[in-house]
Amino acid sequence: MVGNFVWPTDTRRITSGFRTIDRPTHHGIDIAESGMHPIFASADGQVSRSYLSDSYGECIFIEHLIDGQVYETVYAHMRTGSRLCRVGEQVNQHTQIGVMGDTGDSYGQHLHFEVHKGKWNARKTNAVDPLMYVEKIDKVSRTNKIIATKEEKKTKTLFLPKDALTWTVYKLNKPPVKKDKDNWAGVLKPSKYGGLQYDILATPYQNVVTIQTRDFGKVNIYVGIETGAIVR
C-alpha cells in the first residue's frame, strides 16, 4: 500500500467499490453519506481540472508527484458551487477542495473518488483501486469498515486566544457570513476564560470548523489565519 494518500472526506461509508463484478467499468470508489461532508485533497499536488462535467458533475482533478511517480486523483459529483480550487492551483494534503454533492450522472449524494497511477485518460487505463493507496479494508468482516491510519485518528483541537474579546459562532445550515446575523448562533468570550479550547468535529467549509459548545450546542466557527485562531 502506498502511504502518501489520505482519505478524501470525513465519512468512510463505501457504497460501491472499484471494478466490481456488477460494475466492472466503475473505475473508482463511491463514498456516500447524507448531510454536509467536506472533500479534501488526498495528497499534495496541482489542480489539473476544475469544471462541471456532464458525467462527473462538479469535479476536481489533482496531479501528484510522489517518489518520482505521477498520480492523478479525481473528486466527482461535488455540491453545486462548492469547488474551492482553480486549475493550476497548488494544494496541500488535507486542504478542503469542495463539498460532497449529487451533480452530474449521480443517483444520490456521494463522492466518486479515483486514483490513477499516471495521468487520467478517457479510457481509464491508469486507474487503480483507491483502497490500495489510501486505506486498508477489513476483509475479514467484509462490511466495508475502513481502518484509519494513526494520523487520521488524531483529533484536532481549536484554540481561541485569550486576547480575543468575542468570537461569533454560526448555525450549521449554511456557510458563515459575518453580516448575516440571521445565521448567528451566539458569541463566545475567550477573554473571559483566558482563552477557549474545543475539539474539532468537522471541517464543513474552507477555514470553517464545527465545534460543540456548552451554551450554543454544535456550531460552526470561522478560523481563518487572520483571526488568530490556532488549529493543531
Side-chain angles (χ1 to χ4, degrees), residues 166 168-170 175-184 222 227:
T166 61
T168 303
V169 291
Y170 301 84
V177 177
K178 191 172 183 179
K179 295 181 180 180
D180 183 8
K181 293 188 177 182
D182 289 338
N183 196 31
W184 287 15
Y222 178 74
T227 66

Side-chain angles (χ1 to χ4, degrees), residues 36-40 60 81-86 89-92 94-99 175-177 202-210 220-227 231:
M36 186 75 71
H37 296 281
I39 297 171
F40 309 111
I60 286 178
S82 73
R83 281 185 288 121
L84 298 174
C85 301
R86 301 176 181 176
E89 186 174 344
Q90 294 287 338
V91 294
N92 296 324
H94 295 294
T95 298
Q96 185 177 351
I97 60 174
V99 176
V177 177
T203 308
Y205 308 98
Q206 187 174 25
N207 294 326
V208 175
V209 299
T210 303
N220 284 337
I221 182 170
Y222 178 74
V223 293
I225 191 171
E226 73 278 8
T227 66
V231 175

Side-chain angles (χ1 to χ4, degrees), residues 123-165:
R123 294 176 59 196
K124 317 293 176 58
T125 56
N126 291 330
V128 293
D129 186 351
L131 293 181
M132 299 300 294
Y133 288 77
V134 182
E135 304 279 354
K136 291 181 178 178
I137 190 166
D138 184 351
K139 294 182 179 179
V140 176
S141 66
R142 298 183 183 276
T143 59
N144 285 335
K145 181 187 288 186
I146 303 303
I147 303 171
T149 61
K150 292 181 180 179
E151 182 177 352
E152 288 273 300
K153 284 185 175 180
K154 292 179 181 177
T155 300
K156 288 190 175 181
T157 303
L158 168 66
F159 299 88
L160 302 180
K162 62 183 179 181
D163 58 352
L165 297 179

Side-chain angles (χ1 to χ4, degrees), residues 9-200:
T9 186
D10 65 352
T11 178
R12 301 175 182 277
R13 180 172 173 264
I14 299 174
T15 56
S16 187
F18 176 80
R19 294 177 181 169
T20 58
I21 294 175
D22 57 331
R23 298 186 71 188
T25 59
H26 189 238
H27 305 292
I29 61 172
D30 290 343
I31 308 164
E33 197 76 62
S34 61
M36 186 75 71
H37 296 281
I39 297 171
F40 309 111
S42 191
D44 296 349
Q46 184 176 51
V47 176
S48 50
R49 300 189 186 193
S50 179
Y51 71 113
L52 175 60
S53 162
D54 290 338
S55 56
Y56 281 134
E58 298 280 0
C59 62
I60 286 178
F61 293 35
I62 302 176
E63 286 188 12
H64 318 272
L65 182 62
I66 300 174
D67 297 331
Q69 171 67 54
V70 173
Y71 294 87
E72 192 161 13
T73 50
V74 178
Y75 312 77
H77 309 305
M78 293 184 184
R79 185 167 297 197
T80 299
S82 73
R83 281 185 288 121
L84 298 174
C85 301
R86 301 176 181 176
V87 173
E89 186 174 344
Q90 294 287 338
V91 294
N92 296 324
Q93 190 176 65
H94 295 294
T95 298
Q96 185 177 351
I97 60 174
V99 176
M100 188 184 293
D102 186 22
T103 56
D105 187 6
S106 171
Y107 300 92
Q109 176 170 291
H110 72 288
L111 167 63
H112 174 76
F113 177 60
E114 296 178 9
V115 176
H116 298 258
K117 190 174 182 180
K119 292 187 178 182
W120 179 94
N121 63 73
R123 294 176 59 196
K124 317 293 176 58
T125 56
N126 291 330
V128 293
D129 186 351
L131 293 181
M132 299 300 294
Y133 288 77
V134 182
E135 304 279 354
K136 291 181 178 178
I137 190 166
D138 184 351
K139 294 182 179 179
V140 176
S141 66
R142 298 183 183 276
T143 59
N144 285 335
K145 181 187 288 186
I146 303 303
I147 303 171
T149 61
K150 292 181 180 179
E151 182 177 352
E152 288 273 300
K153 284 185 175 180
K154 292 179 181 177
T155 300
K156 288 190 175 181
T157 303
L158 168 66
F159 299 88
L160 302 180
K162 62 183 179 181
D163 58 352
L165 297 179
T166 61
W167 213 294
T168 303
V169 291
Y170 301 84
K171 301 173 185 177
L172 301 178
N173 58 340
K174 59 181 180 179
V177 177
K178 191 172 183 179
K179 295 181 180 180
D180 183 8
K181 293 188 177 182
D182 289 338
N183 196 31
W184 287 15
V187 176
L188 302 176
K189 298 180 179 180
S191 60
K192 181 178 178 180
Y193 302 97
L196 290 170
Q197 175 180 327
Y198 300 92
D199 286 340
I200 293 176

